Amino acid sequence: MPLHIFFAKKGTDVIAFRRSPLVLLTALALFAAAASAQSRAPGEPRMKVILDTDVGDDVDDAFAIDLALASPEFEILGISSAWGDTAMRARMLDRMLCETGRTEIAVRAGIPTGATAAFTQLPWARAGAARNLREDAVTFLLQQITAHPDEITLIALGPLTNIGAAIDRDPATFRRLKRVVLMGGSIYRGYDKKGSAAVQPAEPEYNIARDPRSAQKLMRSGVPVFMLPLDSTQIRFDEARRSELATVSTPMTDALQILIAEWSHATRQANPTLFDAVAVAYAIDAQTCAMTPVHIEVDDVGLTRPTPGVANAQACLLPKEDAFFNLLMPRLLHQRLIGNGACLAR
């Protein structure tokens, strides 16, 4: 069948499809469903959110950020970089926002640390325009909480160093967060093993194990914590969905294709696991991951142990893959976010 490019229009959005007429009709149907699903009731306020992310190592952070950018339920106050080379991670965030036309969103560099994982998407990040560092992520977070007490959802997608520092600096202000949605922990299920269908026992999960002390502070902070641990977030972005992502071309989807390729080249893996995107999906729609009250103790190596006691967190213990992809895919495929600025280094 010959390859064609089709254009469809919704409002001011022009949509390019690089496939057959059958794919075009399917995509248009999905677009209508997505537009209906994303609509908010008139006058309904948007959710104020800040994302804290170690974007650039595993590629799930990029999916999570893009899902947030494509979701009208969110008023994103800012995105901060966490762990490792936080200045370069902030540069990567700047490029993501530039290419999608979301430069009104603040970007702040978090506390730099020693690197403990490969920055697999460094070529794409480094190609972005150089940035001027602004005030640090911890100061920004506390300022925003002060300006919007009891209104902000903090979505934590990386090691919790910035968050631990904010608690140390001003625990009373930190407690005025509405909630923390956390991708982290391993309660009953550890990392899946390649080639094995058996559920692996709980183990230290990466985000918690990098900075267990900060995780301990969060659990004792008094802020409502909603955990998306390994138990519910090991959802693969398989080849069929990668092919589906390739049916449209926007700055966001094109960048995701490149970032997946860079990650795959560095890790010798084909299909990413979308840990962080599951947490963002839950923040958008609680129906994507059912929560259970738990009392969690974080030990010094990063194990998140369920123990007797009054619940200090809510945790999603089972994945809901269909609900997750039903939210994720239409938003990635049907967003039309396009920037107008020069996003690359000269």
Side-chain angles (χ1 to χ4, degrees):
M1 180 179 291
L3 182 67
H4 301 285
I5 299 177
F6 298 90
F7 293 92
K9 187 170 184 179
K10 180 159 182 79
T12 59
D13 295 329
V14 177
I15 309 157
F17 297 94
R18 301 178 297 174
R19 287 296 183 267
S20 69
L22 177 60
V23 171
L24 172 62
L25 293 173
T26 302
L28 287 174
L30 284 171
F31 180 70
S36 175
Q38 292 184 33
S39 60
R40 292 178 293 122
E44 181 181 351
R46 292 187 297 161
M47 184 190 313
K48 291 179 171 61
V49 301
I50 294 173
L51 294 93
D52 189 66
T53 170
D54 59 339
V55 65
D57 294 349
D58 207 343
V59 76
D60 59 319
D61 296 79
F63 276 89
I65 293 162
D66 284 344
L67 175 57
L69 294 177
S71 295
E73 295 87 350
F74 284 170
E75 177 188 352
I76 304 175
L77 302 176
I79 308 178
S80 55
S81 60
W83 201 253
D85 187 349
T86 54
M88 185 57 71
R89 296 195 199 283
R91 185 167 170 175
M92 180 172 176
L93 291 169
D94 273 343
R95 182 176 176 187
M96 294 178 75
L97 296 179
C98 179
E99 294 200 350
T100 54
R102 298 299 306 274
T103 54
E104 82 283 1
I105 297 172
V107 172
R108 297 293 181 263
I111 298 168
T113 69
T116 53
F119 197 143
T120 66
Q121 296 131 74
L122 182 59
W124 194 89
R126 186 179 283 148
R131 67 191 306 275
N132 295 317
L133 289 177
R134 287 142 282 194
E135 73 259 26
D136 67 273
V138 176
T139 298
F140 176 79
L141 174 61
L142 293 171
Q143 288 174 340
Q144 292 300 309
I145 298 171
T146 300
H148 308 285
D150 307 314
E151 295 184 52
I152 295 174
T153 293
L154 174 61
I155 304 177
L157 305 176
L160 301 174
T161 303
N162 294 333
I163 293 166
I167 295 170
D168 287 342
R169 186 183 300 182
D170 193 340
T173 295
F174 187 84
R175 279 195 296 272
R176 300 304 299 271
L177 280 169
K178 181 178 181 179
R179 61 176 178 166
V180 173
V181 174
L182 167 68
M183 191 281 119
S186 168
I187 299 177
Y188 300 112
R189 175 182 174 184
Y191 286 103
D192 292 345
K193 303 298 184 196
K194 187 175 182 179
S196 173
V199 174
Q200 303 302 311
E203 60 185 298
E205 180 273 329
Y206 179 88
N207 287 343
I208 304 298
R210 300 287 73 74
D211 192 345
R213 293 189 63 188
S214 288
Q216 292 165 359
K217 294 171 188 175
L218 174 62
M219 288 300 172
R220 298 167 186 165
S221 69
V223 174
V225 175
F226 295 82
M227 292 179 64
L228 288 299
L230 297 181
D231 307 64
S232 56
T233 57
Q234 296 187 80
I235 297 177
R236 296 275 183 177
F237 195 71
D238 60 19
E239 186 60 35
R241 289 194 169 89
R242 285 189 63 177
S243 296
E244 189 178 3
L245 188 67
T247 62
V248 297
S249 178
T250 69
M252 178 183 286
T253 58
D254 290 351
L256 276 175
Q257 296 282 21
I258 295 169
L259 296 175
I260 293 169
E262 289 186 346
W263 167 84
S264 183
H265 176 76
T267 63
R268 299 294 187 262
Q269 298 179 60
N271 300 320
T273 303
L274 300 186
F275 308 98
D276 290 342
V278 177
V280 171
Y282 171 78
I284 296 165
D285 182 356
Q287 299 304 310
T288 60
C289 221
M291 290 286 169
T292 299
V294 289
H295 183 270
I296 296 294
E297 291 290 337
V298 182
D299 71 13
D300 291 339
V301 299
L303 278 170
T304 47
R305 302 180 184 276
T307 59
V310 176
N312 60 354
Q314 300 276 335
C316 181
L317 301 177
L318 293 171
K320 293 180 70 174
E321 186 167 333
D322 288 346
F324 168 69
F325 279 119
N326 287 342
L327 187 146
L328 174 73
M329 294 307 294
R331 295 185 184 216
L332 293 183
L333 294 173
H334 304 305
Q335 53 70 37
R336 297 295 168 259
L337 298 172
I338 300 175
N340 296 315
C343 304
L344 300 182
R346 295 179 182 273

